[in-house]
Coordinates of all heavy atoms in Angstrom, one line a residue:
W378 N 125.4 -272.0 -40.8 CA 126.6 -272.1 -40.0 C 127.5 -273.2 -40.5 O 127.1 -274.3 -40.9 CB 126.2 -272.4 -38.5 CG 125.4 -271.3 -37.9 CD1 124.1 -271.0 -38.1 CD2 125.9 -270.3 -37.0 NE1 123.8 -269.9 -37.4 CE2 124.9 -269.5 -36.7 CE3 127.2 -270.1 -36.5 CZ2 125.0 -268.4 -35.9 CZ3 127.3 -269.0 -35.6 CH2 126.2 -268.1 -35.3
V379 N 128.8 -272.9 -40.6 CA 129.8 -273.9 -41.0 C 130.9 -274.0 -40.0 O 131.1 -273.1 -39.2 CB 130.3 -273.5 -42.4 CG1 129.2 -273.6 -43.5 CG2 131.0 -272.1 -42.4
G380 N 131.6 -275.1 -40.1 CA 132.8 -275.2 -39.2 C 134.0 -274.7 -39.8 O 134.4 -275.0 -40.9
V381 N 134.7 -273.8 -39.1 CA 135.9 -273.2 -39.5 C 136.9 -273.4 -38.4 O 136.7 -272.8 -37.3 CB 135.8 -271.7 -39.9 CG1 137.1 -271.1 -40.3 CG2 134.7 -271.5 -41.0
D382 N 138.0 -274.1 -38.6 CA 139.0 -274.4 -37.6 C 138.4 -275.0 -36.3 O 138.8 -274.6 -35.2 CB 139.8 -273.1 -37.3 CG 140.6 -272.6 -38.5 OD1 141.0 -273.5 -39.3 OD2 140.8 -271.4 -38.6
G383 N 137.4 -275.8 -36.5 CA 136.8 -276.5 -35.4 C 135.8 -275.6 -34.6 O 135.2 -276.1 -33.6
V384 N 135.5 -274.4 -35.1 CA 134.5 -273.6 -34.5 C 133.4 -273.2 -35.5 O 133.7 -273.0 -36.6 CB 135.2 -272.3 -34.0 CG1 134.2 -271.3 -33.3 CG2 136.3 -272.6 -33.0
A385 N 132.2 -273.3 -35.0 CA 131.1 -273.0 -35.9 C 131.0 -271.5 -36.2 O 131.1 -270.7 -35.3 CB 129.8 -273.4 -35.3
R386 N 131.0 -271.2 -37.5 CA 130.9 -269.8 -37.9 C 129.6 -269.6 -38.7 O 129.2 -270.5 -39.4 CB 132.1 -269.4 -38.8 CG 133.4 -269.7 -38.1 CD 133.8 -268.7 -37.1 NE 135.2 -268.8 -36.6 CZ 135.7 -268.1 -35.6 NH1 134.9 -267.3 -35.0 NH2 136.9 -268.3 -35.2
R387 N 129.1 -268.4 -38.6 CA 127.9 -268.1 -39.4 C 128.3 -267.9 -40.9 O 129.2 -267.1 -41.2 CB 127.2 -266.8 -38.9 CG 125.8 -266.7 -39.5 CD 125.0 -265.7 -38.6 NE 125.4 -264.4 -38.7 CZ 124.8 -263.3 -38.2 NH1 123.7 -263.5 -37.6 NH2 125.2 -262.1 -38.3
G388 N 127.7 -268.6 -41.8 CA 128.0 -268.5 -43.2 C 126.7 -268.2 -44.0 O 126.0 -267.3 -43.6
R389 N 126.5 -268.9 -45.0 CA 125.4 -268.6 -46.0 C 124.6 -269.8 -46.3 O 125.1 -270.9 -46.6 CB 126.0 -268.0 -47.2 CG 126.6 -266.6 -47.0 CD 127.4 -266.2 -48.2 NE 128.6 -267.1 -48.5 CZ 129.7 -267.1 -47.8 NH1 129.9 -266.1 -46.8 NH2 130.7 -267.9 -48.0
K390 N 123.3 -269.7 -46.3 CA 122.4 -270.7 -46.8 C 121.8 -270.2 -48.1 O 121.2 -269.1 -48.1 CB 121.3 -271.0 -45.8 CG 120.4 -272.2 -46.3 CD 119.4 -272.5 -45.2 CE 118.5 -273.7 -45.6 NZ 117.5 -274.1 -44.6
M391 N 122.0 -271.0 -49.1 CA 121.6 -270.5 -50.5 C 120.1 -270.7 -50.8 O 119.5 -271.7 -50.5 CB 122.4 -271.2 -51.5 CG 123.9 -271.0 -51.4 SD 124.4 -269.3 -51.6 CE 123.9 -269.0 -53.3
W392 N 119.6 -269.6 -51.4 CA 118.2 -269.7 -51.9 C 118.2 -269.2 -53.3 O 119.0 -268.4 -53.7 CB 117.3 -268.7 -51.1 CG 117.0 -269.2 -49.7 CD1 117.9 -269.2 -48.7 CD2 115.8 -269.7 -49.2 NE1 117.3 -269.7 -47.6 CE2 116.0 -270.0 -47.8 CE3 114.5 -269.8 -49.7 CZ2 115.0 -270.4 -47.0 CZ3 113.5 -270.3 -48.9 CH2 113.7 -270.6 -47.6
V393 N 117.4 -269.8 -54.2 CA 117.4 -269.4 -55.6 C 115.9 -269.0 -55.9 O 115.0 -269.7 -55.5 CB 117.9 -270.5 -56.5 CG1 117.0 -271.8 -56.4 CG2 117.9 -270.0 -57.9
G394 N 115.8 -267.9 -56.7 CA 114.4 -267.5 -57.1 C 114.1 -268.1 -58.4 O 114.8 -268.0 -59.4
V395 N 112.9 -268.8 -58.5 CA 112.4 -269.4 -59.7 C 111.0 -268.9 -59.9 O 110.1 -269.0 -59.1 CB 112.4 -270.9 -59.6 CG1 111.8 -271.5 -60.9 CG2 113.8 -271.4 -59.3
N396 N 110.8 -268.2 -61.1 CA 109.5 -267.7 -61.5 C 109.0 -266.7 -60.4 O 107.8 -266.7 -60.0 CB 108.5 -268.8 -61.7 CG 108.8 -269.6 -62.9 OD1 109.4 -269.1 -63.9 ND2 108.5 -270.9 -62.9
G397 N 109.9 -265.9 -59.8 CA 109.5 -264.9 -58.9 C 109.3 -265.4 -57.4 O 109.0 -264.7 -56.5
E398 N 109.6 -266.8 -57.2 CA 109.5 -267.3 -55.8 C 110.8 -267.9 -55.4 O 111.5 -268.5 -56.1 CB 108.4 -268.4 -55.8 CG 107.0 -267.9 -56.1 CD 106.0 -269.0 -56.0 OE1 106.4 -270.2 -55.7 OE2 104.8 -268.8 -56.2
A399 N 111.1 -267.6 -54.1 CA 112.4 -268.1 -53.5 C 112.2 -269.5 -53.1 O 111.2 -269.9 -52.4 CB 112.9 -267.2 -52.4
R400 N 113.1 -270.4 -53.4 CA 113.1 -271.8 -53.0 C 114.5 -272.2 -52.4 O 115.5 -271.8 -53.0 CB 112.7 -272.7 -54.2 CG 111.4 -272.3 -54.8 CD 111.0 -273.4 -55.8 NE 109.7 -273.0 -56.5 CZ 108.5 -273.1 -56.0 NH1 108.4 -273.7 -54.8 NH2 107.4 -272.8 -56.7
P401 N 114.5 -272.9 -51.3 CA 115.8 -273.3 -50.7 C 116.4 -274.4 -51.5 O 115.8 -275.3 -52.1 CB 115.4 -273.8 -49.3 CG 114.0 -274.3 -49.5 CD 113.3 -273.4 -50.5
I402 N 117.7 -274.4 -51.6 CA 118.5 -275.5 -52.1 C 118.5 -276.6 -51.1 O 118.5 -276.4 -49.9 CB 120.0 -275.0 -52.4 CG1 120.0 -273.9 -53.5 CG2 120.8 -276.2 -52.8 CD1 121.3 -273.3 -53.7
V403 N 118.5 -277.9 -51.6 CA 118.5 -279.0 -50.7 C 119.7 -279.0 -49.8 O 120.7 -278.4 -50.1 CB 118.3 -280.3 -51.5 CG1 117.0 -280.4 -52.3 CG2 119.5 -280.5 -52.4
H404 N 119.7 -279.9 -48.8 CA 120.9 -280.0 -47.9 C 122.1 -280.3 -48.6 O 122.1 -281.2 -49.5 CB 120.6 -281.0 -46.8 CG 119.6 -280.6 -45.8 ND1 119.6 -279.4 -45.1 CD2 118.4 -281.2 -45.5 CE1 118.5 -279.4 -44.3 NE2 117.8 -280.4 -44.6
G405 N 123.2 -279.6 -48.3 CA 124.5 -279.9 -49.0 C 125.5 -280.6 -48.0 O 125.4 -280.5 -46.8
W406 N 126.4 -281.5 -48.6 CA 127.3 -282.2 -47.8 C 128.7 -281.9 -48.4 O 128.9 -281.7 -49.6 CB 127.1 -283.7 -47.9 CG 125.8 -284.1 -47.2 CD1 124.6 -284.0 -47.7 CD2 125.7 -284.7 -46.0 NE1 123.6 -284.4 -46.9 CE2 124.3 -284.9 -45.8 CE3 126.6 -285.2 -45.0 CZ2 123.8 -285.5 -44.6 CZ3 126.1 -285.8 -43.8 CH2 124.7 -285.9 -43.6

Side-chain angles (χ1 to χ4, degrees):
W378 293 79
V379 295
V381 179
D382 296 330
V384 179
R386 305 284 188 187
R387 193 162 67 172
R389 293 167 296 280
K390 182 175 181 179
M391 300 297 297
W392 291 67
V393 62
V395 179
N396 295 329
E398 296 183 359
R400 301 187 184 281
I402 297 175
V403 298
H404 292 302
W406 294 75

